[in-house]
Amino acid sequence: MLKKADILIEQMEGRGYRATPARRTVLEVISPRRGHFTAEEVCEQAKNVGRATVYRTMKLLVETGIVCRVILEDGSLHYRLSHKDHHHHLVCMACGAVRDFIDGSLEEMVKNLVTKTGFEIEGHWLEVYGRCQECRA
């Protein structure tokens, strides 16, 4: 049975990128993560990988859809393993929980923007901040 890190490595290679030793280390560090994390936390755990390499690898993993960026309410940049195609996030301001959501009407709005403005949209992301059910209880 493949480890989660091996599955992530296969995903990266399947998208045409080499799984260098440094990239493998980063994927091994992030693969057991269940919640969000920072690049600095990855740097601390991937001791034999340089800081610049970690940041470049995180950028690559975002571009390939293996991880996604999450901007917390305080403006800090975090990452998490991506479980779906293009999606958005609900971020709890109390406990920091992050949930994915997909809303077809948002995608339709983006298409309408292209039609109305002629703007060539290359990407977007949406973070919605509030309080989860557990924190509201």
Side-chain angles (χ1 to χ4, degrees), residues 95-112:
C95 70
V98 178
R99 288 187 35 210
D100 297 345
F101 76 94
I102 296 173
D103 186 332
S105 63
L106 289 171
E107 303 314 313
E108 191 61 35
M109 181 188 75
V110 170
K111 289 178 187 174
N112 288 337

Side-chain angles (χ1 to χ4, degrees), residues 2 4 7 39 45 54 63-64 71 95 100 110 115 118-119:
L2 290 175
K4 191 168 186 176
I7 294 168
Q45 288 188 300
V54 168
E63 290 169 359
T64 58
I71 308 295
C95 70
D100 297 345
V110 170
T115 302
F119 194 82

Side-chain angles (χ1 to χ4, degrees), residues 18-30:
R18 286 183 346 119
T20 64
R23 289 174 180 169
R24 285 177 180 272
T25 299
V26 169
L27 288 168
E28 287 169 4
V29 166
I30 68 172

